Coordinates of all heavy atoms in Angstrom, one line a residue:
K873 N 115.6 320.5 110.5 CA 116.2 321.0 109.3 C 116.7 319.9 108.3 O 116.7 320.1 107.1 CB 117.3 322.0 109.5 CG 118.4 321.6 110.4 CD 119.6 322.7 110.5 CE 119.3 323.5 111.8 NZ 120.5 324.3 112.2
V874 N 117.0 318.8 108.9 CA 117.4 317.6 108.1 C 116.2 317.0 107.4 O 116.2 316.7 106.2 CB 118.2 316.6 109.0 CG1 118.6 315.4 108.1 CG2 119.5 317.3 109.5
L875 N 115.1 316.8 108.2 CA 113.9 316.2 107.6 C 113.4 317.1 106.5 O 113.0 316.6 105.4 CB 112.8 316.2 108.7 CG 112.7 315.0 109.6 CD1 111.4 315.2 110.4 CD2 112.6 313.7 108.8
M876 N 113.4 318.4 106.7 CA 112.9 319.3 105.7 C 113.8 319.4 104.5 O 113.3 319.6 103.4 CB 112.7 320.7 106.4 CG 111.5 321.5 106.0 SD 109.9 320.6 105.7 CE 109.0 321.0 107.2
G877 N 115.1 319.2 104.7 CA 116.0 319.1 103.5 C 115.5 317.9 102.6 O 115.5 318.1 101.4
D878 N 115.1 316.8 103.2 CA 114.5 315.7 102.4 C 113.2 316.1 101.7 O 113.0 315.6 100.6 CB 114.5 314.4 103.2 CG 115.8 313.8 103.5 OD1 116.9 314.3 103.0 OD2 115.9 312.7 104.1
V879 N 112.5 316.9 102.4 CA 111.2 317.4 101.7 C 111.6 318.2 100.5 O 111.0 318.1 99.4 CB 110.4 318.2 102.7 CG1 109.5 319.2 102.0 CG2 109.6 317.3 103.6
L880 N 112.6 319.0 100.6 CA 113.0 319.8 99.4 C 113.4 318.9 98.2 O 113.0 319.1 97.1 CB 114.2 320.7 99.7 CG 114.0 321.8 100.7 CD1 115.3 322.7 100.9 CD2 112.9 322.7 100.4
S881 N 114.1 317.8 98.5 CA 114.5 316.9 97.5 C 113.3 316.2 96.9 O 113.2 316.1 95.6 CB 115.4 315.7 98.1 OG 116.6 316.3 98.5
A882 N 112.4 315.7 97.8 CA 111.1 315.1 97.3 C 110.3 316.0 96.5 O 109.8 315.7 95.4 CB 110.3 314.6 98.5
A883 N 110.2 317.3 96.9 CA 109.3 318.2 96.2 C 110.0 318.6 94.8 O 109.3 318.7 93.8 CB 109.2 319.5 97.0
K884 N 111.3 318.7 94.8 CA 112.0 318.9 93.5 C 111.7 317.7 92.5 O 111.4 317.9 91.4 CB 113.5 319.1 93.8 CG 114.3 319.3 92.6 CD 114.2 320.6 91.9 CE 114.9 320.8 90.6 NZ 114.6 322.0 89.9
A885 N 111.9 316.5 93.1 CA 111.7 315.3 92.2 C 110.3 315.2 91.7 O 110.1 314.6 90.6 CB 112.1 314.1 93.1
K886 N 109.3 315.7 92.4 CA 108.0 315.7 92.0 C 107.5 316.9 91.1 O 106.4 317.0 90.7 CB 107.0 315.6 93.2 CG 107.1 314.2 93.8 CD 106.2 314.0 95.0 CE 106.5 312.8 95.8 NZ 106.4 311.5 95.1
G887 N 108.5 317.7 90.8 CA 108.2 318.8 89.8 C 107.7 320.1 90.4 O 107.2 321.0 89.7
F888 N 107.8 320.3 91.7 CA 107.4 321.6 92.3 C 108.4 322.6 92.0 O 109.6 322.4 92.0 CB 107.2 321.4 93.8 CG 106.0 320.6 94.2 CD1 106.0 319.2 94.4 CD2 104.7 321.2 94.2 CE1 104.9 318.5 94.7 CE2 103.5 320.5 94.5 CZ 103.7 319.1 94.7
D889 N 107.9 323.9 91.8 CA 108.8 325.0 91.5 C 109.3 325.7 92.8 O 110.3 326.4 92.7 CB 108.0 326.0 90.7 CG 107.4 325.5 89.4 OD1 108.1 324.8 88.7 OD2 106.2 325.8 89.1
V890 N 108.5 325.6 93.9 CA 108.9 326.4 95.1 C 108.2 325.6 96.3 O 107.3 324.9 96.1 CB 108.3 327.8 95.0 CG1 106.8 327.8 94.9 CG2 108.8 328.7 96.1
V891 N 108.9 325.7 97.4 CA 108.3 325.2 98.7 C 108.0 326.5 99.5 O 108.9 327.3 99.8 CB 109.2 324.3 99.4 CG1 108.6 323.9 100.8 CG2 109.5 323.0 98.6
N892 N 106.7 326.6 99.9 CA 106.3 327.8 100.8 C 106.1 327.3 102.2 O 105.7 326.2 102.5 CB 105.0 328.3 100.2 CG 105.1 328.9 98.8 OD1 106.3 329.2 98.4 ND2 104.1 329.0 98.1
T893 N 106.3 328.2 103.1 CA 106.1 328.0 104.5 C 105.8 329.2 105.3 O 105.7 330.3 104.7 CB 107.3 327.2 105.1 OG1 107.0 326.6 106.4 CG2 108.5 328.1 105.3
L894 N 105.5 329.1 106.6 CA 105.3 330.3 107.4 C 106.2 330.2 108.6 O 106.7 329.1 108.9 CB 103.8 330.2 107.9 CG 102.7 330.4 106.9 CD1 101.4 329.8 107.4 CD2 102.5 331.9 106.6
D895 N 106.3 331.2 109.4 CA 107.2 331.2 110.6 C 106.5 330.7 111.9 O 106.7 331.1 113.0 CB 107.8 332.6 110.8 CG 106.9 333.7 110.9 OD1 105.7 333.5 110.8 OD2 107.3 334.8 111.2
I896 N 105.5 329.7 111.6 CA 104.8 329.0 112.7 C 105.6 327.8 113.1 O 106.7 327.6 112.5 CB 103.3 328.7 112.4 CG1 103.3 327.8 111.2 CG2 102.6 330.0 112.1 CD1 101.9 327.2 110.9
L897 N 105.0 327.0 114.0 CA 105.7 325.7 114.4 C 107.2 325.9 114.7 O 107.5 327.0 115.3 CB 105.6 324.7 113.3 CG 104.1 324.2 113.0 CD1 103.9 323.6 111.7 CD2 103.7 323.1 114.0
D898 N 108.0 325.0 114.5 CA 109.5 325.2 114.7 C 110.1 325.6 113.4 O 111.4 325.4 113.2 CB 110.1 323.9 115.2 CG 109.7 323.7 116.7 OD1 109.5 324.6 117.4 OD2 109.6 322.5 117.0
N899 N 109.4 326.2 112.5 CA 109.9 326.4 111.1 C 111.1 327.4 111.1 O 111.9 327.3 110.2 CB 108.8 326.9 110.2 CG 107.7 325.9 110.0 OD1 107.8 324.8 110.4 ND2 106.6 326.3 109.4
K900 N 111.2 328.3 112.1 CA 112.4 329.2 112.1 C 113.7 328.4 112.2 O 114.7 328.9 111.8 CB 112.2 330.2 113.2 CG 111.3 331.3 112.9 CD 111.2 332.4 114.0 CE 110.4 333.6 113.5 NZ 109.9 334.4 114.6
E901 N 113.6 327.1 112.7 CA 114.8 326.4 112.9 C 115.4 326.0 111.5 O 116.6 325.6 111.5 CB 114.5 325.1 113.7 CG 114.4 325.3 115.1 CD 114.2 324.0 115.9 OE1 114.7 322.9 115.4 OE2 113.7 324.1 117.0
F902 N 114.6 326.0 110.4 CA 115.3 325.6 109.1 C 115.3 326.7 108.1 O 115.9 326.5 107.0 CB 114.6 324.3 108.6 CG 113.1 324.4 108.3 CD1 112.7 325.1 107.1 CD2 112.1 323.9 109.2 CE1 111.3 325.2 106.8 CE2 110.7 324.0 108.8 CZ 110.4 324.6 107.6
L903 N 114.6 327.8 108.3 CA 114.5 328.8 107.2 C 115.8 329.2 106.6 O 116.0 329.1 105.4 CB 113.7 330.0 107.7 CG 112.2 329.8 108.1 CD1 111.6 331.1 108.7 CD2 111.4 329.2 107.0
Q904 N 116.8 329.6 107.5 CA 118.1 330.1 107.0 C 118.9 329.0 106.3 O 119.3 329.2 105.1 CB 118.8 330.7 108.1 CG 118.5 332.2 108.4 CD 119.7 333.0 108.7 OE1 120.7 332.5 109.4 NE2 119.8 334.2 108.2
D905 N 119.1 327.9 107.0 CA 119.9 326.9 106.5 C 119.5 326.3 105.2 O 120.2 325.9 104.3 CB 120.1 325.7 107.5 CG 120.9 326.1 108.7 OD1 121.4 327.3 108.8 OD2 121.1 325.3 109.6
L906 N 118.1 326.3 105.1 CA 117.6 325.7 103.8 C 117.3 326.7 102.7 O 116.6 326.4 101.8 CB 116.4 324.8 104.2 CG 116.6 323.5 105.0 CD1 115.4 322.7 105.3 CD2 117.7 322.7 104.4
K907 N 117.7 328.0 103.0 CA 117.7 329.0 101.9 C 116.2 329.4 101.6 O 115.9 329.6 100.4 CB 118.4 328.5 100.7 CG 119.9 328.3 100.9 CD 120.6 327.9 99.7 CE 122.1 327.7 100.0 NZ 122.9 327.1 98.9
F908 N 115.4 329.5 102.6 CA 114.1 330.1 102.4 C 114.3 331.6 102.5 O 115.2 332.1 103.3 CB 113.1 329.7 103.5 CG 112.5 328.3 103.3 CD1 113.2 327.2 103.6 CD2 111.2 328.2 102.9 CE1 112.7 325.9 103.4 CE2 110.6 326.9 102.7 CZ 111.4 325.7 103.0
G909 N 113.6 332.4 101.8 CA 113.6 333.9 101.9 C 112.2 334.4 102.1 O 111.2 333.8 101.8
P910 N 112.1 335.6 102.8 CA 110.8 336.1 103.2 C 110.0 336.5 101.9 O 110.5 337.1 100.9 CB 111.2 337.4 104.0 CG 112.6 337.8 103.6 CD 113.2 336.4 103.2

Side-chain angles (χ1 to χ4, degrees):
K873 58 177 93 162
V874 178
L875 272 187
M876 216 40 100
D878 282 359
V879 159
L880 297 183
S881 297
K884 176 74 186 174
K886 290 181 191 297
F888 289 94
D889 302 316
V890 64
V891 176
N892 296 341
T893 195
L894 292 160
D895 54 358
I896 59 169
L897 292 158
D898 290 326
N899 294 353
K900 282 184 170 161
E901 283 184 25
F902 63 76
L903 295 178
Q904 273 223 321
D905 289 1
L906 295 182
K907 300 180 177 172
F908 282 76

